[in-house]
Amino acid sequence: MASNRKILLLPGDGIGPEVTRQAARVIEYFDKRRIASFEVKEDLVGGVAFDRHGTPLTEAAMKAALDADAVLLGAVGGPKWDNLPFAQKPERGLLRLRKDMELFANLRPAFVFDALADASTLKREVVAGLDMIIVRELTGGIYFGEPRGISTLPGGGRRGINTQVYTTDEIVRVARVAFELARKRGKRICSVEKANVMESGVLWREEVTKLHAAEYADVQLTHMYADNCAMQLVRNPKQFDVIVTDNLFGDILSDCAAMLTGSLGMLPSASLGAADKGGRRKALYEPVHGSAPDIAGKNLANPLASILSLAMMLRYSFDMEDEAKLVEQAVAKALAGGARTGDIAQAGMSRISTTAMGDRVLGELQKLA
Ligand code: NAD
């Protein structure tokens, strides 16, 4: 059995350690049952790292992240650290990880568990069975483009500038991640931009089309303008399999898609970097939610986003599709059996703790395995 799967846990702040602990129990389960073995290390990030070391991410933790095959992060931040200087803020730790690991593709699935279809603000028939994923370009585009800034005009008025800019390489590498993903799913990609009004969108469309013809003709490719995509996501989200889009549109559309599914406590994510010679990508997995200071330390948080982030790790970093599915099925069964933390409990349902939700998922895993 291969034991070269190196995982770094960075639980972070607030509810981060509580939810990451439940995901770590799933790793320990696979290890104990000899289904797969992992080498797990743990370090600090965010406010807790600042409290201990005076920095939100030590060089040693950064090195451990670069050495690992995959990082599982909890959450960073909280009111205790809100007034720190910019460079020491907890978020800087996470941003440094994303930057130094060169994570350019952000994967945000929107998956509706049948037991939670009524938790969406949309009608059950619109969201039941939804299983799509948005691939967002994460390190380019208007959030990083130059020139940027605010200048004062001769008349005393001011001008704010940001620049939307993409190169062929930036488009092709993220599109490649999306095409590879589509191949493992429903083999359909929708590429989203605004080629009708933006040159960067024209280039995006041309490069994605070229890559498709050259290497991925077995995947169905369609194109859509971002404004139409926003409408389609709430009108008929089940038409999508994989959406690939730029940083700005991806930021907005992935939040929109996330809310189709109900609660923040259910949403996993992955951020991937370039593949090395052996085909392995640097990767960071994390729940979409933050550190939830309002419920931190109370054993109330929903750990499923963290557990589902771990399932993504098994799938994308370790090629363990069967085990990833097993974890997702265990979550589905726990939910079907009525397991609910406060954030996903409907009126009249009893609420269980973070650890009890972990127990339920592990119990289902045992029954399934
Ligand atoms: P948040 O996601 O932490 O919380 C928003 C609301 O959702 C809160 O009411 C919270 O109790 C609830 N919630 C979130 N996750 C939950 C879970 N797993 N189970 C049950 N309920 C859950 O967002 P916020 O309140 O805007 O931010 C709080 C702190 O987290 C801030 O310091 C912010 O900067 C930080 N933050 C960090 C990340 C990250 O680490 N990636 C992301 C977003 C926010």
Side-chain angles (χ1 to χ4, degrees):
M1 196 181 5
S3 62
N4 57 344
R5 303 180 188 91
K6 287 190 276 181
I7 299 178
L8 177 69
L9 301 179
L10 293 173
D13 305 320
I15 62 169
E18 297 168 68
V19 297
T20 308
R21 178 70 213 122
Q22 300 313 309
R25 289 176 70 194
V26 176
I27 302 174
E28 288 158 13
Y29 169 81
F30 281 127
D31 233 357
K32 210 166 115 201
R33 290 286 301 260
R34 298 184 172 277
I35 295 170
S37 66
F38 300 92
E39 188 186 317
V40 182
K41 290 190 177 154
E42 189 168 326
D43 215 315
L44 301 175
V45 66
V48 287
F50 174 80
D51 287 349
R52 177 87 61 90
H53 301 295
T55 168
L57 188 75
T58 62
E59 293 307 317
M62 187 64 241
K63 183 173 179 312
L66 290 171
D67 286 346
D69 294 315
V71 177
L72 181 66
L73 187 127
V76 294
K80 180 178 176 195
W81 304 285
D82 276 352
N83 296 321
L84 285 177
F86 187 70
Q88 289 161 347
K89 281 190 184 296
E91 295 74 17
R92 300 311 299 173
L94 180 51
L95 293 177
R96 166 100 194 270
L97 281 165
R98 287 181 181 155
K99 183 165 172 283
D100 286 15
M101 292 170 77
E102 297 179 63
L103 305 173
F104 62 81
N106 183 231
L107 277 53
R108 291 264 300 261
F111 181 88
V112 172
F113 287 94
D114 202 43
L116 294 184
D118 293 315
S120 172
T121 48
L122 297 192
K123 292 190 189 106
R124 170 178 262 277
E125 62 264 31
V126 177
V127 297
L130 176 70
D131 179 5
M132 59 166 289
I133 189 160
I134 296 189
V135 180
R136 165 190 171 192
E137 201 290 326
L138 201 57
T139 53
I142 199 161
Y143 293 162
F144 297 94
E146 298 283 347
R148 62 185 298 157
I150 299 176
S151 57
T152 302
L153 298 169
R158 297 196 301 158
R159 185 170 68 154
I161 298 185
N162 291 92
T163 303
Q164 166 82 340
V165 51
Y166 272 107
T167 62
T168 304
D169 286 352
E170 286 172 321
I171 298 166
V172 167
R173 67 180 184 174
V174 73
R176 199 182 288 285
V177 168
F179 277 117
E180 294 290 337
L181 198 61
R183 261 192 187 150
K184 291 185 181 173
R185 296 174 43 99
K187 294 200 168 186
R188 288 184 296 118
I189 274 207
C190 180
S191 171
V192 172
E193 25 62 12
K194 279 194 64 85
N196 50 341
V197 286
M198 295 169 77
E199 283 76 6
S200 60
V202 173
L203 184 75
W204 183 283
R205 188 175 286 219
E206 287 175 358
E207 294 299 337
V208 172
T209 304
K210 245 193 270 174
L211 179 67
H212 173 248
E215 295 179 40
Y216 297 101
D218 55 314
V219 176
Q220 184 197 97
L221 169 67
T222 54
H223 303 273
M224 196 179 271
Y225 297 138
D227 46 346
N228 185 25
C229 184
M231 279 200 288
Q232 297 300 329
L233 274 174
V234 285
R235 192 184 73 85
N236 176 20
K238 283 187 264 184
Q239 71 186 282
F240 297 111
D241 177 23
V242 177
I243 288 177
V244 62
T245 189
D246 75 13
N247 204 344
L248 172 64
F249 297 138
D251 193 3
I252 297 163
L253 296 174
S254 62
D255 271 13
C256 176
M259 277 304 105
L260 303 173
T261 69
S263 167
L264 259 179
M266 295 296 304
L267 298 168
S269 78
S271 301
L272 307 179
D276 64 17
K277 283 187 194 121
R280 189 154 282 185
R281 296 177 182 279
K282 293 256 170 285
L284 181 125
Y285 299 84
E286 56 179 324
V288 168
H289 63 70
S291 59
D294 51 332
I295 55 168
K298 297 179 180 163
N299 202 17
L300 291 175
N302 183 349
L304 295 181
S306 184
I307 292 173
L308 292 168
S309 298
L310 174 70
M312 290 187 84
M313 179 193 290
L314 297 174
R315 175 172 291 124
Y316 298 122
S317 282
F318 300 127
D319 240 337
M320 295 169 63
E321 178 64 28
D322 291 349
E323 289 76 6
K325 279 213 178 92
L326 213 58
V327 174
E328 288 160 355
Q329 280 165 10
V331 168
K333 290 216 173 254
L335 291 169
R340 295 286 189 280
T341 42
D343 58 314
I344 50 173
Q346 282 143 288
M349 291 181 117
S350 58
R351 296 154 182 237
I352 62 173
S353 67
T354 310
T355 41
M357 183 61 102
D359 293 345
R360 297 280 190 101
V361 173
L362 280 170
E364 295 297 343
L365 208 49
Q366 259 153 17
K367 283 191 230 161
L368 285 165

